[in-house]
Amino acid sequence: MAGEPFYVTTPIYYVNDVPHIGHAYTTLACDALARFMRLDGRDVLFLTGTDEHGQKVEKAAQELGIAPQELADRNSAKFRKLAADMGYTNDDFIRTTEGRHLKAVQHLWRILRERDEIYLGTYAGWYSVRDEAFFNESELIKGENGKLIAPTGTGAEVEWVEGPSYFFRLAAWQDRLLEFYHRNPDFIAPESRRNEVLSFVKGGLQDLSVSRTSFKWGVPVPDDPDHVMYVWLDALTNYLTAVGYPDTESEAFTTYWPADLHMVGKDILRFHAVFWPAFLLAAGIEPPQRVFAHGWWTNEGQKISKSLGNVIDPTALVAEYGLDQVRYFLLREVPFGNDGDFSRAAMVQRINGDLANGIGNLAQRTLTLIQRNCEAKIPQGGDSSDGDSDLRRACGPSLLAAMRQNMEQQRFHMALQEFMSAVSAADAYITANEPWALKKTDPHRMSAVLYTLAEAIRTLAILAQPFIPDAASRLLDQLAVPEGKRNFSQIEGEGALTPGTDLPKPEGIFPRHVQPSGA
Ligand code: MSP
């Protein structure tokens, strides 16, 4: 029987530029979650993809002297490659230039139009192409030489836009949105972001311009092809397209919609937490269950930007430090939801402190002791003490419960902190029991102690899989745990190691990182 569905999405990435650490981060968080939920028996749909229309992409293509579709093809392939290089386990990769998406967006538009949620008017106001967003004059910041700048921190100049436009009746949704937030207190996380959204909506909403006639690169408005749709209406709909919309009777739609989680960066929360539920409610579709806004990374204390030349290429980072190491660092270093600073010193500290000296050393020590003292076989249990069962619980069922609770709230750093506390408990257990000294005095007890440790490492490795999948799988190989016995249901009961099983020669899973001299 398939487990309870879990549908998680990343934002779809603009193809005007190539992937960087920010994109890798959002998808990584979703990947860890998707892996965790699959191992926990859920029926997961994990979606990522690329956002290919709009003025920003059209402009970037013009600057390169190529067609927007060509730029989209080129850069979408780079995002797809990033997903493969980073080992992401997305089930689908959507592109907004695909036929399935065109069909979904145009259908949604027709429904909104039929319900009189969209009307034709005239727009006159400020627009930031970089943010693909409209702003009121009162929100804008005066930049150097008097130019008006968007209030988003991107430093983007706004331009005056005037012309016929369709509008979505957003203003009329203010009260119903507030009521929706009230009834669904978990819809926006973290709490501080929820408060920001609430005060934004309480401040009053204006109807939203959802079409443009001044450029062509977008989805044509049904029955009025002089207009192309606002790129955010187009892009947000991807979450529906991937589950078969407009076929709301399809198996995918009935199984996975409403989505369990849209993961987004803090900069695009308003689109997901205000516009998106309004569009959906207006079309009679249930909104997603939750939107989580994570923070932004800086590089050695500086804002990451192309003009500063400090953009971090995730693939280069992986080549230097290793994939599991990068995954672990990004998810452990910063409380998820806060901004974080990437620094090489912090990265090396985490690799050596938590991975090499922590889980790596624990596994290597234990497996070497077993290799030398138990004829390279899983030791016999027996003669177990309270301390043994305490450790097995701390590294097994109790840890699973604690990690599950944190993962349900997207507290990746806390889940990993719990994990490392269990590793420390196992280290303390070795120190207290001194298995090396028991060989001569009490070999039975030695065997029980090493079995307890092997079991603790088995369950730790099973629980580490969502975060450090490669090292975890090598560790499980070293304990001769079969492929089919690596999910969370094997933590207790019949999944336990069978004494007498032959073990391969242990190999370190996490070498210490030594910074090359001069670096
Ligand atoms: N195309 C829109 C999303 C449409 S979703 C229906 C978009 N794309 S984006 O490529 O500009 O950004 C995608 C994600 O990358 C956002 O969640 C954003 O927060 C994230 N990041 C971009 N730079 C970042 C950092 N420096 N740090 C962390 N995440 C950042 O917005």
Side-chain angles (χ1 to χ4, degrees), residues 10-18 20-27 49-52 56 79 96 130-132 231-232 234-239 263-268 271-272 294-299 303-305 339-340:
T10 75
I12 47 172
Y13 303 109
Y14 285 129
V15 289
N16 64 306
D17 212 344
V18 299
H20 65 64
I21 194 74
H23 309 116
Y25 182 56
T26 315
T27 315
T50 41
D51 186 354
E52 307 192 358
K56 169 155 143 161
F79 281 96
T96 52
R130 186 159 340 147
D131 300 293
E132 295 283 19
V231 66
W232 272 100
D234 166 356
L236 288 160
T237 307
N238 91 87
Y239 304 131
M263 182 70 80
V264 301
K266 63 180 184 181
D267 52 319
I268 55 172
F271 301 95
H272 283 82
H294 67 66
W296 270 48
W297 284 92
T298 48
N299 184 358
K303 189 174 172 251
I304 296 178
S305 91
D339 290 338

Side-chain angles (χ1 to χ4, degrees), residues 8 11 22 24-33 189-193 261-266 290-297 327 329-340 406-407 409-417:
V8 58
Y25 182 56
T26 315
T27 315
L28 168 62
C30 295
D31 182 64
L33 209 50
E191 186 70 25
S192 56
R193 300 278 168 217
L261 177 69
H262 292 325
M263 182 70 80
V264 301
K266 63 180 184 181
R290 185 169 169 94
V291 178
F292 191 105
H294 67 66
W296 270 48
W297 284 92
R327 290 176 65 106
F329 173 79
L330 292 176
L331 293 175
R332 172 64 190 90
E333 185 66 7
V334 174
F336 199 69
N338 291 5
D339 290 338
N406 283 309
M407 292 301 274
Q409 303 290 317
Q410 295 81 49
R411 290 190 297 244
F412 302 94
H413 62 294
M414 294 290 287
L416 287 169
Q417 205 170 309

